[in-house]
Amino acid sequence: MTTAAPSYTQADLREICAGFAIYGDFLVAVPFGTGHINDTFQVTYDQGGVRLHYTLQRINHAVFRKPEQVMENIDRVTGHLLGKIRSRNEETRKRTIRLLRTFSNLPYVRDCRGDYWRAYVFVENARSYDVLETPQQAYRAAQAFGEFQCDLVDLPGARLHETIPDFHNTPKRVEALIEAVDEDRVGRAAGVRREIDFVLERREETELLLKLHAEGAIPERITHNDTKSNNLLIDDLTGEGICVLDLDTVMPGLSLYDFGDMVRGGTSPAEEDEVNLAKVGMRFEMFEALLQGFLSSAGDFLTAAERENLPFSGKLITLETGIRFLTDYINGDLYFKTRRPNHNLERCRNQFRLVESIEHQMNRMLSLL
C-alpha cells in the first residue's frame, strides 16, 4: 500500500544528505520527476564555487518492503554495469547511475523516521521523456534497454532478490483483481463492469509466457521490469539512450517483460492518464523502431520463443498495467499516487484502449519477425 509521503523541510533534506560522502555546501533540494512510487529531489551543492547536482530519492518501503535488498540488487547491478562500460572504453560518467555511499560505505541512509534514502550523481545534459517523440528515440531507447539486459547476462554471484515477488505474474494480477471485485471495499466495482469484463475475456492469454517459461522455451533473465520511456535518459546532444534509471525492480524476470513494457510506454502518442481516448493508440512506426532497436543489442541471446512473442508481450504488459490500475481503483487508490478522484480508472481505460489498438495491428506486427 502506498502511504502519503512525509513532508520534508530543507533542514531535513540537508541532514539526510549529510549522511552521504558529498563534499561541499548543501544549497537546496527541489522535487524532481514524475514517478508514481518514490519521492525524488534534485539536490544542489556548492563545491569550491562550482554548483553540482545530485539525485536524492526516498525509497517507498510500503511498496518495497525490504529496502536493503533493493539496494543490494542496485549496488551489484550498477557495479557490474560500470565494469562492462569500462571494458568497452566508454565514458562512464553518463552510462550508468553512480550510487553515492555513506561514510561507512553503505549505499543508503536511514533517517530518524525509519525511511531509506539513496543518492546518485546527477546526469547532466540528458533527459527522460514521458512520451517518445520520434522513431529514432524509440530505436535508441530499446537499444539501451536491450544492452542493459545483455550486460547483465553474466552477472556473478547469487540470484538477485525479488524486490516485488510476482511483479509481472499477470495471472496473479487477474486473481488480485477478482479478489478486489469480490471484496469491493469502497463500493466501486459496479461502476466498472465493462472494464472487468474486458480483462476476463482475455484471461486465458495472460498465462502464455509463464507456460512457455515452465516448458523451458523462455529462460529466466535479469530484467529491469519497468522499461517505460521516462526510465531512460537520452543524451541532449547525440540523441543516444545512455543511462537506465529506476532500478528498484531489477530482478529475475523474462526478457519479454521489458520489451512489452517498452511497447506499452513508447508507442502511444498520449501519456498513460490521457482521458481523450481518441488520442491513444499504438503507432506502428514506433513499434517497428522499438523492435529493431531491441534486436540490435539483445537479438543475439534471445531464444526463438522469445523472438516470436515480442509483439504479444506488448499486449500482455499493457493489459497487465491496466489491470493494476483497475485493481487499485477498486481498492480505493492505495498503491499508485493519484492527483484526482478517478485518476486510476482513467489510467486503466487508457491502457485498455491501447490493448485494443495493439490487437488490431497484431498480424502486421508479427510480419516484422
Side-chain angles (χ1 to χ4, degrees):
M1 173 170 75
T2 298
T3 55
S7 176
Y8 287 92
T9 67
Q10 290 295 300
D12 294 331
L13 296 169
R14 180 196 301 267
E15 183 178 353
I16 291 162
C17 286
F20 293 100
I22 307 176
Y23 299 97
D25 298 318
F26 175 98
L27 296 179
V28 68
V30 296
F32 186 80
T34 59
H36 292 329
I37 306 299
N38 298 316
D39 299 298
T40 307
F41 300 86
Q42 185 190 65
V43 181
T44 304
Y45 267 71
D46 185 312
Q47 296 182 345
V50 177
R51 294 193 172 190
L52 296 178
H53 300 118
Y54 299 92
T55 300
L56 178 69
Q57 199 164 51
R58 182 183 77 95
I59 303 172
N60 188 328
H61 59 80
V63 174
F64 300 103
R65 298 184 181 276
K66 297 181 178 179
E68 288 151 340
Q69 291 187 359
V70 170
M71 292 310 301
E72 182 182 333
N73 280 2
I74 294 175
D75 203 16
R76 287 179 60 195
V77 164
T78 55
H80 186 72
L81 291 175
L82 186 59
K84 286 295 186 78
I85 292 163
R86 285 173 171 161
S87 72
R88 295 193 291 263
N89 296 315
E90 295 175 351
E91 179 189 13
T92 61
R93 182 174 58 88
K94 288 186 175 184
R95 291 289 178 171
T96 183
I97 56 175
R98 304 288 295 274
L99 279 172
L100 300 183
R101 308 193 82 81
T102 68
F103 292 98
S104 56
N105 201 35
L106 290 174
Y108 60 85
V109 163
R110 196 172 187 189
D111 68 17
C112 60
R113 308 185 200 192
D115 284 329
Y116 289 77
W117 295 80
R118 56 172 171 244
Y120 305 113
V121 176
F122 187 84
V123 179
E124 305 283 358
N125 303 315
R127 67 187 182 101
S128 61
Y129 292 79
D130 286 336
V131 176
L132 295 176
E133 297 170 356
T134 67
Q136 182 181 24
Q137 283 182 352
Y139 181 95
R140 293 294 185 92
Q143 185 179 49
F145 279 118
E147 184 175 279
F148 178 83
Q149 278 195 19
C150 187
D151 282 345
L152 293 174
V153 165
D154 60 350
L155 178 74
R159 187 173 183 263
L160 291 179
H161 301 292
E162 291 189 57
T163 55
I164 303 181
D166 294 317
F167 184 63
H168 278 310
N169 187 321
T170 318
K172 287 196 174 182
R173 296 291 188 181
V174 177
E175 292 172 8
L177 171 64
I178 294 170
E179 182 178 333
V181 172
D182 290 341
E183 186 174 353
D184 198 17
R185 64 181 71 178
V186 293
R188 291 178 170 178
V192 290
R193 283 307 324 175
R194 184 177 65 174
E195 287 76 17
I196 295 166
D197 290 342
F198 185 92
V199 175
L200 296 180
E201 288 166 3
R202 294 160 176 80
R203 185 175 187 179
E204 186 175 344
E205 288 180 284
T206 66
E207 301 175 359
L208 175 61
L209 296 189
L210 290 177
K211 284 182 177 178
L212 288 171
H213 173 58
E215 294 166 1
I218 294 180
E220 179 179 274
R221 303 192 185 278
I222 297 173
T223 50
H224 184 279
N225 295 296
D226 191 16
T227 54
K228 56 192 177 187
S229 57
N230 60 11
N231 279 340
L232 176 75
L233 290 177
I234 294 178
D235 189 279
D236 289 339
L237 179 62
T238 66
E240 185 181 4
I242 57 170
C243 184
V244 175
L245 306 175
D246 285 358
L247 305 184
D248 293 307
T249 54
V250 173
M251 56 184 164
L254 304 184
S255 179
L256 292 170
Y257 295 158
D258 279 3
F259 184 76
D261 209 16
M262 281 185 267
V263 175
R264 181 193 77 83
T267 61
S268 178
E271 295 189 21
E272 67 181 16
D273 59 357
E274 172 61 59
V275 295
N276 182 355
L277 298 184
K279 296 181 179 180
V280 179
M282 193 198 79
R283 294 171 289 177
F284 186 81
E285 70 277 10
M286 298 296 275
F287 171 80
E288 185 172 14
L290 287 171
L291 181 68
Q292 292 173 349
F294 190 66
L295 290 176
S296 73
S297 53
D300 287 346
F301 69 81
L302 296 177
T303 67
E306 285 174 315
R307 284 174 168 270
E308 291 166 6
N309 284 283
L310 286 166
F312 170 74
S313 69
K315 173 183 173 178
L316 179 72
I317 299 302
T318 307
L319 177 64
E320 178 189 287
T321 305
I323 292 169
R324 294 175 64 201
F325 286 141
L326 179 59
T327 303
D328 199 28
Y329 173 77
I330 293 170
N331 281 334
D333 305 315
L334 302 176
Y335 185 89
F336 295 106
K337 292 179 182 178
T338 57
R339 296 189 298 274
R340 47 187 181 266
N342 291 325
H343 201 177
N344 273 323
L345 180 57
E346 292 165 357
R347 290 164 168 157
C348 160
R349 289 172 173 165
N350 177 300
Q351 296 298 285
F352 288 174
R353 176 58 62 90
L354 183 55
V355 168
E356 291 177 323
S357 178
I358 293 170
E359 288 175 338
H360 292 153
Q361 300 180 76
M362 184 59 69
N363 288 339
R364 191 179 177 198
M365 294 161 71
L366 289 167
S367 72
L368 295 175
L369 298 177

